[in-house]
Amino acid sequence: MVVKLALAKYAALAVLIVSNAMFSVCEETCAGNTAAKETESKQGSCSCGMNREKRDVRDSPDDYSNMYSFEKKNSGESPYRRTNHMVLIPGGTFTMGLDKPILPQDGEGPARRTTIDSFYMDVYEVTNAEFEYFVNQTGYKTEAERFGNSFVLDYLIPNKIQEKITQAVASAPWWLPVDGADWRHPFGPGTTIVDRMDHPVVHVSWNDAVEFCKWAGKVLPTEAEWEYATRGGLENKLFPWGDDLLPNGEHRMNIWQGSFPTKNTVEDGFETTAPVTSFPPNKYGLYNTVGNAWEWVNDWYKIQHTSDDQLNPTGPLHGTDRVKKGGSYMCHKSYCYRYRCASRSNNTPDSSASNLGFRCASQKQPSDVPVVEHDPKLK
Ligand SMILES: [Ca+2]
Ligand SMILES: [Ca+2]
């Protein structure tokens, strides 16, 4: 029987044990602080609940990669149109974070002037096609595949699968761990990516994302790089195109319309993930930074920041969770107002879910990767 404890959502110890203790919730983000209590009562659940138990967190991706020796299984070309393009993000100084944070419990503030050197950023979220190409070449198995499960929104799980699930998460009862859910089976066994090869890959952990970027000759962006690139040269705007959610009445990203988590009216055209080429790009030519899939960035997560000026910040030296940015198709303002440039959330590096993906960056001119030009008028 599926156990859902919505009434216990904000219990002090937000750990629900049904059959065995495999999962815990991120108490810090869900519990928040007293100053943020009112906001927090409506927020803080969209990303929690899908942290794995912190039994397998490693301090260094190098430690992790030692577990694998990639085999060159297939050196053929990808049968799909490649979407590994990058764009040069011109260096500059911007205001990172907010002096009046909308979700203070997430560490959105304070604002700090932050200078970023020029770097290259993937134009698109990494797609299923690109990830399959990586897997075909290397034989890589994701953590969800090795753990044997991953988190899926209950609304999207076929009934036959849902009936067998015996665990849920107190802070976010709509997240269910599904045996056999992984990047090839985004909603569980029997589901497929064949009709969504140009959608963002999901069910990839931070560790998986690092391994992909390494294979591609790239790295994960820092949080500051991600936010700088997402803002597209606009200062202090909520979204990559400005402050208006629906400029000229048009949807500009893939989030949730309706009533979360039970009714999605799909006014933006997409119930789950969308092709990574959907919606207009920002002024740096980047697509779907906000919405569609959450995106891992390199930094460890903390919620306290200095207001001092920053130069190419790389985040804390240590931590337990990694930062993710941009929100996803599951975000609704009432529960997860995190589809803004300054929004942030966190998960343990081995966590995975049906709305969490990534894109890569590079500090140097990437080799063997197409670099596209953004409109020079928009510098
Ligand atoms: Ca949508
Ligand atoms: Ca995104």
Side-chain angles (χ1 to χ4, degrees), residues 293-305:
W294 279 99
E295 298 176 25
W296 290 112
V297 295
N298 194 60
D299 303 37
W300 288 111
Y301 179 76
K302 69 170 181 180
I303 58 172
Q304 296 82 26
H305 309 284

Side-chain angles (χ1 to χ4, degrees), residues 96 114 116 119 121 219-229 296-299 312-315 323 325 361 363:
M96 183 172 179
T114 301
I116 299 290
F119 68 103
M121 184 85 149
V219 293
L220 282 178
T222 65
E223 181 178 8
E225 288 171 340
W226 190 98
E227 187 169 325
Y228 177 70
W296 290 112
V297 295
N298 194 60
D299 303 37
N312 297 315
T314 55
V323 178
K325 297 282 278 186
Q363 270 72 50

Side-chain angles (χ1 to χ4, degrees), residues 253-257 264 266-272 329:
M253 62 181 155
N254 179 16
I255 54 176
W256 186 294
Q257 294 86 41
N264 189 344
V266 195
E267 285 150 41
D268 59 23
F270 302 98
E271 183 174 32
T272 62
Y329 66 86

Side-chain angles (χ1 to χ4, degrees), residues 277-307:
T277 51
S278 306
F279 303 102
N282 77 352
K283 289 192 174 185
Y284 287 157
L286 304 178
Y287 288 74
N288 292 295
T289 48
V290 290
N292 214 22
W294 279 99
E295 298 176 25
W296 290 112
V297 295
N298 194 60
D299 303 37
W300 288 111
Y301 179 76
K302 69 170 181 180
I303 58 172
Q304 296 82 26
H305 309 284
T306 174
S307 59

Side-chain angles (χ1 to χ4, degrees), residues 7-317:
L7 294 176
K9 193 190 293 185
Y10 302 109
L13 292 174
V15 178
L16 173 63
I17 301 172
V18 178
S19 58
N20 57 58
M22 287 181 66
F23 304 98
S24 65
V25 300
C26 48
E27 292 176 12
E28 183 174 70
T29 302
C30 287
N33 56 40
T34 49
K37 197 172 178 183
E38 175 59 27
T39 310
E40 166 213 349
S41 68
K42 296 177 183 172
Q43 299 281 342
S45 300
C46 62
S47 61
C48 291
M50 57 197 205
N51 280 344
R52 294 185 189 281
E53 187 181 31
K54 293 177 177 58
R55 63 184 175 185
D56 200 21
V57 175
R58 303 171 183 86
D59 287 332
S60 157
D62 292 329
D63 297 338
Y64 177 83
S65 60
N66 287 339
M67 295 174 64
Y68 286 91
S69 58
F70 290 160
E71 299 167 39
K72 197 89 171 172
K73 288 202 165 181
N74 175 359
S75 58
E77 292 302 309
S78 170
Y80 300 99
R81 186 172 74 88
R82 300 298 305 275
T83 53
N84 57 342
H85 312 67
M86 304 192 92
V87 65
L88 178 64
I89 307 295
T93 300
F94 78 115
T95 304
M96 183 172 179
L98 304 171
D99 262 338
K100 293 182 179 173
I102 293 171
L103 298 177
Q105 72 271 26
D106 287 358
E108 292 179 355
R112 54 270 190 203
R113 294 294 287 167
T114 301
T115 299
I116 299 290
D117 291 338
S118 297
F119 68 103
Y120 295 85
M121 184 85 149
D122 279 356
V123 170
Y124 306 110
E125 295 155 320
V126 173
T127 61
N128 284 316
E130 290 293 321
F131 202 79
E132 182 180 75
Y133 186 38
F134 158 64
V135 167
N136 286 345
Q137 290 226 331
T138 61
Y140 186 80
K141 284 205 181 309
T142 60
E143 294 200 286
E145 290 171 290
R146 288 182 290 114
F147 284 125
N149 53 48
S150 189
F151 281 92
V152 183
L153 176 65
D154 59 0
Y155 174 91
L156 300 171
I157 302 169
N159 286 341
K160 269 201 300 194
I161 298 173
Q162 200 167 146
E163 286 163 6
K164 297 177 185 166
I165 299 172
T166 56
Q167 301 179 81
V169 180
S171 65
W174 42 85
W175 278 118
L176 297 180
V178 176
D179 288 346
D182 56 45
W183 71 275
R184 288 187 196 276
H185 309 95
F187 308 111
T191 63
T192 177
I193 57 170
V194 295
D195 58 348
R196 50 178 68 218
M197 295 306 290
D198 58 350
H199 288 217
V201 64
V202 292
H203 295 297
V204 286
S205 68
W206 184 93
N207 294 315
D208 299 329
V210 166
E211 293 304 317
F212 176 97
C213 292
K214 199 183 298 179
W215 165 81
K218 304 174 182 178
V219 293
L220 282 178
T222 65
E223 181 178 8
E225 288 171 340
W226 190 98
E227 187 169 325
Y228 177 70
T230 291
R231 290 182 179 279
L234 300 179
E235 271 285 285
N236 295 312
K237 298 296 182 188
L238 285 173
F239 309 116
W241 54 88
D243 286 330
D244 189 355
L245 178 66
L246 301 174
N248 302 316
E250 293 175 7
H251 288 275
R252 298 291 294 269
M253 62 181 155
N254 179 16
I255 54 176
W256 186 294
Q257 294 86 41
S259 176
F260 186 85
T262 54
K263 184 169 180 56
N264 189 344
T265 54
V266 195
E267 285 150 41
D268 59 23
F270 302 98
E271 183 174 32
T272 62
T273 52
V276 298
T277 51
S278 306
F279 303 102
N282 77 352
K283 289 192 174 185
Y284 287 157
L286 304 178
Y287 288 74
N288 292 295
T289 48
V290 290
N292 214 22
W294 279 99
E295 298 176 25
W296 290 112
V297 295
N298 194 60
D299 303 37
W300 288 111
Y301 179 76
K302 69 170 181 180
I303 58 172
Q304 296 82 26
H305 309 284
T306 174
S307 59
D308 294 346
D309 291 357
Q310 300 288 306
L311 174 62
N312 297 315
T314 55
L317 293 175

